[in-house]
């Protein structure tokens, strides 16, 4: 079963998501929500999904970046972005610390801002502390594209959308993005900065 993706304008996307307690995390309802979030993000496919995007105001995100999602992108762009395969990550109550705040500028899209893209600055290296789906404490250092995805998803838990942080002149439809910008490297993106 796939979950309905809530779109910008729905209040749940602007609310601060609730922390998950250990007892709640072990409930059938939350474990099922996590399974359905994974099915939903894989179906689109997207590289990340936060619970508020499916109308559930909980601090839960799922992230996964597969090689096949990257197959149409030039190798030099993937290498510049530091974009690699990311195995499935379920992060509960994540807290991040910026390790290297140097902003990198690349395009992002969002399943809750369907049909658009924009350039968003994101810190290059972050540390994440969270629980996995079973409540085990985990600590991850995320760099480059992985760090970008995590920052985007954690913003959802705070009611923030990428459109709040984007470089305004770079906001564009998916149609224009596909035609002119989907392979843009940092040099080309500079014209928006
Ligand atoms: Zn999003």
């Amino acid at each position: 079963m796939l979950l309905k993706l809530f779109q910008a304008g729905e209040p749940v996307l602007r609310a601060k998501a609730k922390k998950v307690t250990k007892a709640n995390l072990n409930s059938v309802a939350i474990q099922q929500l996590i399974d359905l979030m994974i099915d939903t993000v894989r179906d689109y496919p997207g590289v990340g999904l936060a619970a508020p995007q499916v109308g559930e105001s909980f601090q839960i995100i799922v992230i996964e970046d597969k090689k096949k999602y990257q197959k149409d992108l030039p190798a030099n762009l993937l290498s510049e972005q530091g974009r690699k395969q990311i195995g499935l990550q379920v992060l509960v109550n994540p807290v991040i610390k910026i390790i290297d705040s140097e902003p990198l500028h690349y395009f992002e899209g969002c399943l809750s801002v369907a049909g658009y893209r924009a350039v968003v600055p994101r810190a290059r290296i972050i540390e994440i502390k969270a629980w996995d789906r079973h409540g085990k404490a985990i600590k991850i250092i995320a760099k480059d594209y992985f760090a970008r995805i995590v920052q985007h998803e954690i913003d959802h838990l705070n009611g923030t959308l990428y459109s709040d942080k984007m470089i305004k002149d770079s906001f564009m439809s998916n149609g224009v993005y596909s035609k002119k910008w989907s392979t843009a490297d940092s040099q080309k993106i500079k014209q928006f900065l």
Side-chain angles (χ1 to χ4, degrees):
M1 190 182 98
L2 301 176
L3 299 167
K4 179 189 153 195
L5 286 167
F6 283 57
Q7 294 300 313
E10 298 277 6
V12 68
L13 290 167
R14 290 308 192 177
K16 192 157 171 51
K18 288 187 290 284
K19 276 202 166 182
V20 182
T21 63
K22 281 258 163 91
N24 203 1
L25 183 59
N26 289 323
S27 69
V28 173
I30 291 287
Q31 288 297 318
Q32 192 173 50
L33 169 65
I34 292 169
D35 285 334
L36 295 177
M37 283 174 65
I38 294 167
D39 291 349
T40 302
V41 75
R42 283 177 174 167
D43 180 69
Y44 185 77
V47 293
L49 184 69
Q53 294 183 270
V54 293
E56 299 287 347
S57 195
F58 289 112
Q59 293 186 21
I60 301 171
I61 65 182
V62 299
I63 290 173
E64 186 176 46
D65 196 1
K66 298 184 183 185
K67 273 272 176 261
K68 66 177 176 187
Y69 302 163
Q70 305 165 7
K71 68 179 183 340
D72 295 330
L73 296 169
N76 67 315
L77 178 63
L78 293 172
S79 146
E80 191 191 276
Q81 289 182 318
R83 185 167 173 183
K84 298 176 187 128
Q85 198 164 343
I86 304 167
L88 179 68
Q89 305 270 347
V90 177
L91 303 176
V92 178
N93 301 334
V95 176
I96 62 170
K97 188 167 99 185
I98 306 288
I99 304 289
D100 179 350
S101 62
E102 180 199 342
L104 298 182
H105 294 85
Y106 289 107
F107 276 94
E108 286 182 16
C110 178
L111 299 180
S112 297
V113 189
Y116 297 92
R117 305 272 179 151
V119 172
V120 184
R122 298 287 185 189
R124 199 173 81 80
I125 307 177
I126 59 173
E127 179 193 271
I128 309 135
K129 285 183 178 167
W131 289 342
D132 71 6
R133 67 179 296 168
H134 305 295
K136 189 177 143 228
I138 46 176
K139 187 166 105 172
I140 302 168
I141 302 288
K143 295 180 186 171
D144 299 317
Y145 206 77
F146 183 21
R148 170 172 298 273
I149 301 170
V150 174
Q151 289 169 83
H152 176 118
E153 299 310 328
I154 288 183
D155 275 353
H156 278 301
L157 305 181
N158 293 308
T160 299
L161 298 173
Y162 81 76
S163 45
D164 302 335
K165 297 184 167 178
M166 69 185 180
I167 306 295
K168 287 198 210 83
D169 286 358
S170 70
F171 187 61
M172 63 180 67
S173 71
N174 269 343
V176 173
Y177 172 78
S178 302
K179 249 185 258 161
K180 297 185 178 171
W181 290 94
S182 61
T183 61
D185 61 9
S186 58
Q187 197 55 38
K188 191 172 175 193
I189 284 170
K190 261 193 191 146
Q191 65 184 272
F192 291 121
L193 311 182

